[in-house]
Amino acid sequence: MSKLGLIAGGGGLPLEIARACQAVGRPLFVIRLRGFADAAMADFPGVDSGLAELGRTLKALKKEACETVCLAGYVDRPDFAALKPDLRGMAVIPGAIAAARHGDDALLRFLMGEFEREGFVVEGADQIVSGLTIGLGPVGRVAAGEEARVDIDTAIRAARALGALDIGQAAVSARGLVLAVEAAEGTAALLARCVDLPAALRGTAEAPVGVLAKAAKPIQDRRVDLPVIGVETVIAASKAGLAGIVGEAGGLLIIDREAVIKLADELGLFIVGLPPAEAVPAAS
């Protein structure tokens, strides 16, 4: 079993990956990105490294005989002028800046290419953790009613359109209207904005209406930055008065699946996996 070098950003996904490796006995070494990695990642063998300390990161991974790497967790787009690179980092920053001008996905592809040029195989989170992606159909006991069909369709189409423009991965629809779309602020802030909308536009905890849809960008490399939901997403969606969450089967990661399903069932919130975009007929 190859040793994994986990490049850990923020959020719960790196922890899920680390625990999965631990459970099956897969050797693991963690690069904890300063300012982003969760404190719990210190429980696993690894080192702290800055975003621009590529030389330190590569040296540590090679010393530990890691064969593969996984980039997981959120990292805010950096202020390149404020970074403190090591020598290897200085060499790649011009290319990173040039890639970033073409969008976040171009930047991620550039970074993955640097690891591949050093001989590492890049793995996706869903390749490491079995059952991490949503399947086709409902998750949990709550099903989407017929009244939700229009919002599901509207929200997922909006999310896919955003992704095609490399803007974001999520959109919210209620009563057939797109209420909010995700850009650089992330899903939590998107849902928080929905809470502040007029009551006439959105649902409530007592009478939920509307859907959060998340979709991978069609141009992205699916080994990194697939959309994610977790317990916090379910809580925020409920606070926003939404009836459910949808994503593309095989293209949405669910962190802490059992807890997510339990909470969604308790709140009466549906979670549904939809056919991938290529399997959906175009609107007439």
PDB file of all heavy atoms in Angstrom, residues 42-67:
ATOM      1  N   ALA A  42      -2.776  17.659  13.753  1.00  0.00           N
ATOM      2  CA  ALA A  42      -1.521  17.472  14.493  1.00  0.00           C
ATOM      3  C   ALA A  42      -1.436  16.090  15.127  1.00  0.00           C
ATOM      4  O   ALA A  42      -0.357  15.674  15.578  1.00  0.00           O
ATOM      5  CB  ALA A  42      -1.379  18.553  15.565  1.00  0.00           C
ATOM      6  N   ASP A  43      -2.553  15.351  15.153  1.00  0.00           N
ATOM      7  CA  ASP A  43      -2.546  14.001  15.726  1.00  0.00           C
ATOM      8  C   ASP A  43      -1.901  12.986  14.794  1.00  0.00           C
ATOM      9  O   ASP A  43      -1.678  11.840  15.204  1.00  0.00           O
ATOM     10  CB  ASP A  43      -3.988  13.560  16.027  1.00  0.00           C
ATOM     11  CG  ASP A  43      -4.638  14.387  17.120  1.00  0.00           C
ATOM     12  OD1 ASP A  43      -3.899  15.022  17.907  1.00  0.00           O
ATOM     13  OD2 ASP A  43      -5.884  14.405  17.186  1.00  0.00           O
ATOM     14  N   PHE A  44      -1.613  13.387  13.577  1.00  0.00           N
ATOM     15  CA  PHE A  44      -1.038  12.466  12.594  1.00  0.00           C
ATOM     16  C   PHE A  44       0.394  12.883  12.272  1.00  0.00           C
ATOM     17  O   PHE A  44       0.738  14.066  12.366  1.00  0.00           O
ATOM     18  CB  PHE A  44      -1.888  12.461  11.321  1.00  0.00           C
ATOM     19  CG  PHE A  44      -3.318  12.087  11.554  1.00  0.00           C
ATOM     20  CD1 PHE A  44      -4.275  13.059  11.796  1.00  0.00           C
ATOM     21  CD2 PHE A  44      -3.711  10.760  11.565  1.00  0.00           C
ATOM     22  CE1 PHE A  44      -5.601  12.733  12.030  1.00  0.00           C
ATOM     23  CE2 PHE A  44      -5.040  10.408  11.799  1.00  0.00           C
ATOM     24  CZ  PHE A  44      -5.987  11.400  12.039  1.00  0.00           C
ATOM     25  N   PRO A  45       1.239  11.930  11.886  1.00  0.00           N
ATOM     26  CA  PRO A  45       2.626  12.282  11.544  1.00  0.00           C
ATOM     27  C   PRO A  45       2.665  13.318  10.433  1.00  0.00           C
ATOM     28  O   PRO A  45       1.921  13.211   9.450  1.00  0.00           O
ATOM     29  CB  PRO A  45       3.223  10.947  11.076  1.00  0.00           C
ATOM     30  CG  PRO A  45       2.328   9.894  11.639  1.00  0.00           C
ATOM     31  CD  PRO A  45       0.956  10.495  11.712  1.00  0.00           C
ATOM     32  N   GLY A  46       3.502  14.337  10.582  1.00  0.00           N
ATOM     33  CA  GLY A  46       3.579  15.351   9.545  1.00  0.00           C
ATOM     34  C   GLY A  46       4.376  16.558   9.966  1.00  0.00           C
ATOM     35  O   GLY A  46       5.023  16.553  11.022  1.00  0.00           O
ATOM     36  N   VAL A  47       4.350  17.577   9.129  1.00  0.00           N
ATOM     37  CA  VAL A  47       5.035  18.834   9.403  1.00  0.00           C
ATOM     38  C   VAL A  47       4.121  19.992   9.006  1.00  0.00           C
ATOM     39  O   VAL A  47       3.201  19.824   8.203  1.00  0.00           O
ATOM     40  CB  VAL A  47       6.372  18.952   8.628  1.00  0.00           C
ATOM     41  CG1 VAL A  47       7.351  17.869   9.036  1.00  0.00           C
ATOM     42  CG2 VAL A  47       6.121  18.930   7.127  1.00  0.00           C
ATOM     43  N   ASP A  48       4.388  21.161   9.564  1.00  0.00           N
ATOM     44  CA  ASP A  48       3.710  22.380   9.150  1.00  0.00           C
ATOM     45  C   ASP A  48       4.505  23.017   8.015  1.00  0.00           C
ATOM     46  O   ASP A  48       5.739  23.011   8.028  1.00  0.00           O
ATOM     47  CB  ASP A  48       3.612  23.364  10.312  1.00  0.00           C
ATOM     48  CG  ASP A  48       2.804  22.808  11.473  1.00  0.00           C
ATOM     49  OD1 ASP A  48       1.858  22.040  11.221  1.00  0.00           O
ATOM     50  OD2 ASP A  48       3.128  23.130  12.628  1.00  0.00           O
ATOM     51  N   SER A  49       3.798  23.576   7.043  1.00  0.00           N
ATOM     52  CA  SER A  49       4.473  24.208   5.915  1.00  0.00           C
ATOM     53  C   SER A  49       3.617  25.355   5.399  1.00  0.00           C
ATOM     54  O   SER A  49       2.378  25.285   5.423  1.00  0.00           O
ATOM     55  CB  SER A  49       4.721  23.193   4.793  1.00  0.00           C
ATOM     56  OG  SER A  49       5.515  23.741   3.762  1.00  0.00           O
ATOM     57  N   GLY A  50       4.269  26.414   4.934  1.00  0.00           N
ATOM     58  CA  GLY A  50       3.553  27.538   4.366  1.00  0.00           C
ATOM     59  C   GLY A  50       3.143  27.270   2.934  1.00  0.00           C
ATOM     60  O   GLY A  50       3.683  26.380   2.270  1.00  0.00           O
ATOM     61  N   LEU A  51       2.202  28.055   2.443  1.00  0.00           N
ATOM     62  CA  LEU A  51       1.703  27.867   1.079  1.00  0.00           C
ATOM     63  C   LEU A  51       2.811  27.943   0.047  1.00  0.00           C
ATOM     64  O   LEU A  51       2.782  27.231  -0.961  1.00  0.00           O
ATOM     65  CB  LEU A  51       0.644  28.936   0.758  1.00  0.00           C
ATOM     66  CG  LEU A  51      -0.763  28.734   1.306  1.00  0.00           C
ATOM     67  CD1 LEU A  51      -1.637  29.909   0.902  1.00  0.00           C
ATOM     68  CD2 LEU A  51      -1.360  27.427   0.813  1.00  0.00           C
ATOM     69  N   ALA A  52       3.780  28.824   0.261  1.00  0.00           N
ATOM     70  CA  ALA A  52       4.838  29.036  -0.726  1.00  0.00           C
ATOM     71  C   ALA A  52       6.121  28.292  -0.386  1.00  0.00           C
ATOM     72  O   ALA A  52       7.127  28.462  -1.077  1.00  0.00           O
ATOM     73  CB  ALA A  52       5.126  30.530  -0.856  1.00  0.00           C
ATOM     74  N   GLU A  53       6.092  27.452   0.642  1.00  0.00           N
ATOM     75  CA  GLU A  53       7.291  26.689   1.014  1.00  0.00           C
ATOM     76  C   GLU A  53       7.290  25.338   0.300  1.00  0.00           C
ATOM     77  O   GLU A  53       7.284  24.270   0.912  1.00  0.00           O
ATOM     78  CB  GLU A  53       7.348  26.517   2.533  1.00  0.00           C
ATOM     79  CG  GLU A  53       7.576  27.830   3.268  1.00  0.00           C
ATOM     80  CD  GLU A  53       7.640  27.645   4.775  1.00  0.00           C
ATOM     81  OE1 GLU A  53       6.762  26.952   5.339  1.00  0.00           O
ATOM     82  OE2 GLU A  53       8.563  28.197   5.382  1.00  0.00           O
ATOM     83  N   LEU A  54       7.305  25.398  -1.022  1.00  0.00           N
ATOM     84  CA  LEU A  54       7.224  24.180  -1.813  1.00  0.00           C
ATOM     85  C   LEU A  54       8.453  23.304  -1.619  1.00  0.00           C
ATOM     86  O   LEU A  54       8.349  22.070  -1.585  1.00  0.00           O
ATOM     87  CB  LEU A  54       7.041  24.525  -3.291  1.00  0.00           C
ATOM     88  CG  LEU A  54       6.827  23.340  -4.233  1.00  0.00           C
ATOM     89  CD1 LEU A  54       5.608  22.527  -3.831  1.00  0.00           C
ATOM     90  CD2 LEU A  54       6.696  23.820  -5.676  1.00  0.00           C
ATOM     91  N   GLY A  55       9.607  23.932  -1.491  1.00  0.00           N
ATOM     92  CA  GLY A  55      10.821  23.157  -1.271  1.00  0.00           C
ATOM     93  C   GLY A  55      10.746  22.361   0.023  1.00  0.00           C
ATOM     94  O   GLY A  55      11.105  21.175   0.058  1.00  0.00           O
ATOM     95  N   ARG A  56      10.278  23.000   1.104  1.00  0.00           N
ATOM     96  CA  ARG A  56      10.129  22.316   2.394  1.00  0.00           C
ATOM     97  C   ARG A  56       9.138  21.160   2.274  1.00  0.00           C
ATOM     98  O   ARG A  56       9.382  20.053   2.789  1.00  0.00           O
ATOM     99  CB  ARG A  56       9.650  23.321   3.443  1.00  0.00           C
ATOM    100  CG  ARG A  56       9.300  22.718   4.796  1.00  0.00           C
ATOM    101  CD  ARG A  56       8.836  23.813   5.760  1.00  0.00           C
ATOM    102  NE  ARG A  56       8.320  23.261   7.006  1.00  0.00           N
ATOM    103  CZ  ARG A  56       9.075  22.845   8.014  1.00  0.00           C
ATOM    104  NH1 ARG A  56      10.405  22.918   7.924  1.00  0.00           N
ATOM    105  NH2 ARG A  56       8.530  22.369   9.120  1.00  0.00           N
ATOM    106  N   THR A  57       8.047  21.412   1.564  1.00  0.00           N
ATOM    107  CA  THR A  57       7.026  20.383   1.392  1.00  0.00           C
ATOM    108  C   THR A  57       7.569  19.186   0.617  1.00  0.00           C
ATOM    109  O   THR A  57       7.410  18.029   1.036  1.00  0.00           O
ATOM    110  CB  THR A  57       5.808  20.968   0.665  1.00  0.00           C
ATOM    111  OG1 THR A  57       5.179  21.927   1.533  1.00  0.00           O
ATOM    112  CG2 THR A  57       4.807  19.895   0.291  1.00  0.00           C
ATOM    113  N   LEU A  58       8.203  19.441  -0.512  1.00  0.00           N
ATOM    114  CA  LEU A  58       8.727  18.349  -1.340  1.00  0.00           C
ATOM    115  C   LEU A  58       9.815  17.571  -0.615  1.00  0.00           C
ATOM    116  O   LEU A  58       9.859  16.331  -0.683  1.00  0.00           O
ATOM    117  CB  LEU A  58       9.264  18.913  -2.651  1.00  0.00           C
ATOM    118  CG  LEU A  58       8.212  19.493  -3.611  1.00  0.00           C
ATOM    119  CD1 LEU A  58       8.896  20.199  -4.773  1.00  0.00           C
ATOM    120  CD2 LEU A  58       7.272  18.406  -4.119  1.00  0.00           C
ATOM    121  N   LYS A  59      10.694  18.281   0.082  1.00  0.00           N
ATOM    122  CA  LYS A  59      11.766  17.615   0.825  1.00  0.00           C
ATOM    123  C   LYS A  59      11.196  16.676   1.878  1.00  0.00           C
ATOM    124  O   LYS A  59      11.651  15.534   2.043  1.00  0.00           O
ATOM    125  CB  LYS A  59      12.668  18.657   1.477  1.00  0.00           C
ATOM    126  CG  LYS A  59      13.858  18.058   2.237  1.00  0.00           C
ATOM    127  CD  LYS A  59      14.730  19.163   2.818  1.00  0.00           C
ATOM    128  CE  LYS A  59      15.914  18.561   3.602  1.00  0.00           C
ATOM    129  NZ  LYS A  59      16.778  19.627   4.176  1.00  0.00           N
ATOM    130  N   ALA A  60      10.164  17.147   2.600  1.00  0.00           N
ATOM    131  CA  ALA A  60       9.550  16.324   3.641  1.00  0.00           C
ATOM    132  C   ALA A  60       8.866  15.095   3.050  1.00  0.00           C
ATOM    133  O   ALA A  60       8.991  13.982   3.582  1.00  0.00           O
ATOM    134  CB  ALA A  60       8.549  17.152   4.435  1.00  0.00           C
ATOM    135  N   LEU A  61       8.149  15.275   1.939  1.00  0.00           N
ATOM    136  CA  LEU A  61       7.454  14.151   1.314  1.00  0.00           C
ATOM    137  C   LEU A  61       8.431  13.093   0.807  1.00  0.00           C
ATOM    138  O   LEU A  61       8.200  11.885   0.951  1.00  0.00           O
ATOM    139  CB  LEU A  61       6.591  14.651   0.158  1.00  0.00           C
ATOM    140  CG  LEU A  61       5.379  15.511   0.529  1.00  0.00           C
ATOM    141  CD1 LEU A  61       4.733  16.083  -0.720  1.00  0.00           C
ATOM    142  CD2 LEU A  61       4.349  14.712   1.333  1.00  0.00           C
ATOM    143  N   LYS A  62       9.537  13.546   0.230  1.00  0.00           N
ATOM    144  CA  LYS A  62      10.530  12.594  -0.287  1.00  0.00           C
ATOM    145  C   LYS A  62      11.279  11.898   0.843  1.00  0.00           C
ATOM    146  O   LYS A  62      11.562  10.698   0.774  1.00  0.00           O
ATOM    147  CB  LYS A  62      11.494  13.327  -1.215  1.00  0.00           C
ATOM    148  CG  LYS A  62      10.841  13.768  -2.520  1.00  0.00           C
ATOM    149  CD  LYS A  62      11.803  14.522  -3.418  1.00  0.00           C
ATOM    150  CE  LYS A  62      11.121  14.926  -4.720  1.00  0.00           C
ATOM    151  NZ  LYS A  62      12.025  15.674  -5.619  1.00  0.00           N
ATOM    152  N   LYS A  63      11.580  12.639   1.909  1.00  0.00           N
ATOM    153  CA  LYS A  63      12.251  12.037   3.067  1.00  0.00           C
ATOM    154  C   LYS A  63      11.392  10.934   3.672  1.00  0.00           C
ATOM    155  O   LYS A  63      11.911   9.905   4.137  1.00  0.00           O
ATOM    156  CB  LYS A  63      12.546  13.112   4.110  1.00  0.00           C
ATOM    157  CG  LYS A  63      13.273  12.587   5.342  1.00  0.00           C
ATOM    158  CD  LYS A  63      13.536  13.699   6.347  1.00  0.00           C
ATOM    159  CE  LYS A  63      14.233  13.169   7.593  1.00  0.00           C
ATOM    160  NZ  LYS A  63      14.464  14.239   8.592  1.00  0.00           N
ATOM    161  N   GLU A  64      10.073  11.134   3.643  1.00  0.00           N
ATOM    162  CA  GLU A  64       9.143  10.162   4.209  1.00  0.00           C
ATOM    163  C   GLU A  64       8.765   9.066   3.214  1.00  0.00           C
ATOM    164  O   GLU A  64       7.936   8.210   3.516  1.00  0.00           O
ATOM    165  CB  GLU A  64       7.875  10.869   4.691  1.00  0.00           C
ATOM    166  CG  GLU A  64       8.083  11.739   5.904  1.00  0.00           C
ATOM    167  CD  GLU A  64       8.434  10.932   7.148  1.00  0.00           C
ATOM    168  OE1 GLU A  64       7.898   9.806   7.296  1.00  0.00           O
ATOM    169  OE2 GLU A  64       9.241  11.429   7.957  1.00  0.00           O
ATOM    170  N   ALA A  65       9.368   9.105   2.027  1.00  0.00           N
ATOM    171  CA  ALA A  65       9.138   8.093   0.990  1.00  0.00           C
ATOM    172  C   ALA A  65       7.671   8.012   0.568  1.00  0.00           C
ATOM    173  O   ALA A  65       7.144   6.925   0.303  1.00  0.00           O
ATOM    174  CB  ALA A  65       9.635   6.728   1.453  1.00  0.00           C
ATOM    175  N   CYS A  66       7.009   9.165   0.500  1.00  0.00           N
ATOM    176  CA  CYS A  66       5.630   9.198  -0.004  1.00  0.00           C
ATOM    177  C   CYS A  66       5.649   8.994  -1.514  1.00  0.00           C
ATOM    178  O   CYS A  66       6.479   9.567  -2.218  1.00  0.00           O
ATOM    179  CB  CYS A  66       4.968  10.531   0.333  1.00  0.00           C
ATOM    180  SG  CYS A  66       4.743  10.822   2.099  1.00  0.00           S
ATOM    181  N   GLU A  67       4.738   8.185  -2.010  1.00  0.00           N
ATOM    182  CA  GLU A  67       4.657   7.927  -3.445  1.00  0.00           C
ATOM    183  C   GLU A  67       3.507   8.690  -4.093  1.00  0.00           C
ATOM    184  O   GLU A  67       3.571   9.010  -5.276  1.00  0.00           O
ATOM    185  CB  GLU A  67       4.474   6.425  -3.693  1.00  0.00           C
ATOM    186  CG  GLU A  67       5.622   5.565  -3.160  1.00  0.00           C
ATOM    187  CD  GLU A  67       5.302   4.091  -3.284  1.00  0.00           C
ATOM    188  OE1 GLU A  67       4.797   3.686  -4.349  1.00  0.00           O
ATOM    189  OE2 GLU A  67       5.543   3.352  -2.317  1.00  0.00           O
TER     190      GLU A  67
END
